[in-house]
Amino acid sequence: MTIESTTWRNPSVQTTPSHADREILLLTNRLKKALWRTLELELERESLSVPQWLVLSGLARNEGGTLTHFSRLLGYDAGSLSRVIHQLRLRKLIMTDRASQDRRNALLQLSDAGFALYQTIESRTGGLPPVLTTALGRRRMMVLGGLMERAIALLEVDAIPSKSEVLSP
């Protein structure tokens, strides 16, 4: 067995590449959970879930307008996200254009109340937790974001065959 890399917690500890790969999976999962929990605590005041906030803020930033788009962006199945959107509609935070009979492709629009709530939360939170941005600094946050985007791009570019490609003769 060859030892080729180190762990991030203790660079003096030598590990195998597969251990480092596993470590990255665990760290990204822990980071997501920590970020979501921090945001959940902030959103409790407004009785919003993180997925609801991501749809609301996405619409406010003109990042997309259909359930299908947000499903891909957030990595949620359409059924789960449909319930999230339904809850936002019940609170009159978003509206849907019912011109399309397909709920997945109905155009989502932010209501005035939804935009006001977005502005209130955004002014309070400003994005990522301040403790994180303060401790790491703007430059390191940009580097981290760039590394994450690069890793995603490498993995999403047809690197993983679809089920139909695997099952076809």
Side-chain angles (χ1 to χ4, degrees):
M1 179 187 300
T2 352
I3 296 174
E4 299 181 18
S5 65
T6 60
T7 66
W8 291 272
R9 290 189 191 117
N10 186 352
S12 65
V13 176
Q14 296 293 314
T15 62
T16 63
S18 65
H19 182 271
D21 294 347
R22 181 178 181 277
E23 189 78 8
I24 288 173
L25 289 172
L26 294 172
L27 288 171
T28 55
N29 188 44
R30 285 179 56 206
L31 178 60
K32 178 187 174 189
K33 285 181 179 182
L35 287 171
W36 279 51
R37 183 63 191 138
T38 302
L39 190 52
E40 283 171 348
L41 293 172
E42 187 62 41
L43 295 173
E44 278 179 353
R45 282 190 224 178
E46 311 300 340
S47 299
L48 279 179
S49 67
V50 174
Q52 289 172 332
W53 168 246
L54 292 173
V55 169
L56 199 70
S57 62
L59 289 171
R61 296 172 185 179
N62 294 313
E63 293 175 352
T66 65
L67 182 143
T68 303
H69 168 80
F70 282 109
S71 178
R72 287 186 190 126
L73 180 69
L74 303 178
Y76 270 61
D77 66 271
S80 296
L81 200 57
S82 180
R83 287 185 290 280
V84 166
I85 289 169
H86 179 71
Q87 292 164 344
L88 291 170
R89 283 184 61 231
L90 288 176
R91 292 183 59 186
K92 300 186 183 329
L93 298 174
I94 66 169
M95 302 167 292
T96 55
D97 176 4
R98 288 291 175 195
S100 170
Q101 295 301 326
D102 186 351
R103 287 175 53 175
R104 294 168 299 181
N105 290 320
L107 186 62
L108 307 174
Q109 299 173 335
L110 200 57
S111 68
D112 290 341
F115 189 71
L117 181 60
Y118 162 77
Q119 287 182 312
T120 299
I121 295 170
E122 189 67 16
S123 69
R124 239 184 12 239
T125 64
L128 291 172
V131 66
L132 186 61
T133 53
T134 301
L136 293 179
R138 195 85 205 125
R139 185 177 166 282
R140 284 190 180 130
M141 292 299 295
M142 289 175 67
V143 169
L144 177 61
L147 289 170
M148 293 172 79
E149 285 178 353
R150 177 78 173 129
I152 291 165
L154 289 170
L155 293 171
E156 286 182 344
V157 179
D158 299 324
I160 302 168
S162 68
K163 287 181 184 178
S164 62
E165 292 171 327
V166 172
L167 297 176
S168 57

